[in-house]
Amino acid sequence: MNKTELIAKIAENAGLSKVDAKKALEAAVEAVKDALVAGDKVQLVGFGTFAVKEQPAREGINPATKQKINIAAKKVAKFKAGAELADAVK
């Protein structure tokens, strides 16, 4: 399902116009992004939790040259499915 299909499904399920559904989806995505940038986690009961995890610096290998390289530390967004979502997709 792509973004356009998701917007159509939201509009259908919520009884909204596609324009309003698009605004709602974009606002929700922006709110989650802002919370993650601020270092907060977003927990949607029954759906899952979005959080930021720090990956430490590590040493890797360049597959083309087989030389060792240093990989810098970074922050990554993680999603953990909630129990209801996990059970629904089983």
Side-chain angles (χ1 to χ4, degrees):
M1 176 179 286
N2 63 30
K3 185 176 177 181
T4 303
E5 294 167 338
L6 180 58
I7 289 168
K9 191 69 172 175
I10 291 170
E12 178 185 325
N13 289 347
L16 300 171
S17 70
K18 287 184 181 179
V19 172
D20 288 340
K22 181 178 179 182
K23 287 178 185 177
L25 177 61
E26 288 174 351
V29 169
E30 191 66 28
V32 170
K33 183 171 56 170
D34 290 346
L36 293 177
V37 168
D40 298 331
K41 71 178 183 178
V42 178
Q43 188 173 10
L44 303 172
V45 177
F47 183 72
T49 303
F50 297 91
V52 175
K53 180 182 176 205
E54 291 196 32
Q55 289 186 335
R58 59 191 167 91
E59 192 174 85
I61 297 175
N62 180 334
T65 63
K66 307 296 185 208
Q67 290 180 329
K68 291 186 178 184
I69 57 172
N70 291 322
I71 301 171
K74 64 179 178 178
K75 294 179 181 181
V76 294
K78 294 286 184 175
F79 174 75
K80 182 176 182 202
E84 285 182 37
L85 178 60
D87 290 342
V89 296
K90 281 188 179 177

